[in-house]
Amino acid sequence: MFSTIVEYFTPKGKKLFFPLFDHAAENVVAMAELLKTALFETPFINTKDLYHKIDRLENIGDDVTHHINIELGKNFITPFDREDIHALTSSIDDVADYIHESANRMFLYDLKEFTSPMKLLADLILQAAIELRALIDSLKDIEHVDKITTYCNSIYAIETKADHVYNKAVADLFDNEKDPIKVIKYQEVLLGLETATDMCKDVVKVVESIMIKNG
């Protein structure tokens, strides 16, 4: 009886939107895991299949984003401001887009060798995605500010490290690589990987805005 009463007074929007947020974040982790596997797999067995799996997951992420936007138009009660829900959803989708874009460039450029910085960036993307998943899950209990802040700071630190890795990698690439075509390909891949971590930071900024409004 008590559980029924609690369920009755629980805002429908909270029960509806948070599972969708979690789905979007979990999808990003799955994409990051596949990306890392594609770069670290030796020999390169089934790499093409990994890229195709990332492509399918990106489509799933788009579907989740579309679903959330539809529900925004249908539901009067939402856990946060509608603009914040849209911003949060879009920022998570941007992370997925850049993971997909990086994998797509590797596939289209038919890269068979990946540099240590590329592998390190892929690992950092996965680390950031895992922290992102935990951050999104923690929004269910937004009053736990310290917990949420810990996840935010962790993602900021990962993004800062990714910046350093990218800057050094590009400098080394221009200093040591003589093939201009290879320079262009590798630089674009490195940029896509680093930008994926930037997008994780953008999610944090949206979460921080939500915390301020709901604190």
Side-chain angles (χ1 to χ4, degrees), residues 36-45 47 50 112 114 119:
K36 181 176 177 179
T37 300
L39 269 72
F40 279 79
E41 189 172 274
T42 306
F44 294 99
I45 302 171
T47 305
L50 289 172
K112 294 293 190 291
F114 301 108
K119 293 180 179 181

Side-chain angles (χ1 to χ4, degrees), residues 45-56:
I45 302 171
N46 297 324
T47 305
K48 182 177 180 180
D49 183 54
L50 289 172
Y51 291 147
H52 288 166
K53 287 180 180 178
I54 291 173
D55 189 61
R56 288 194 292 271

Side-chain angles (χ1 to χ4, degrees), residues 4 17 42 48 56 62 116 127 129 131 143 155 158 214:
T4 303
F17 285 100
T42 306
K48 182 177 180 180
R56 288 194 292 271
D62 286 342
S116 294
Q127 291 179 37
E131 294 296 312
E143 68 274 9
I155 293 172
I158 292 169
N214 293 271

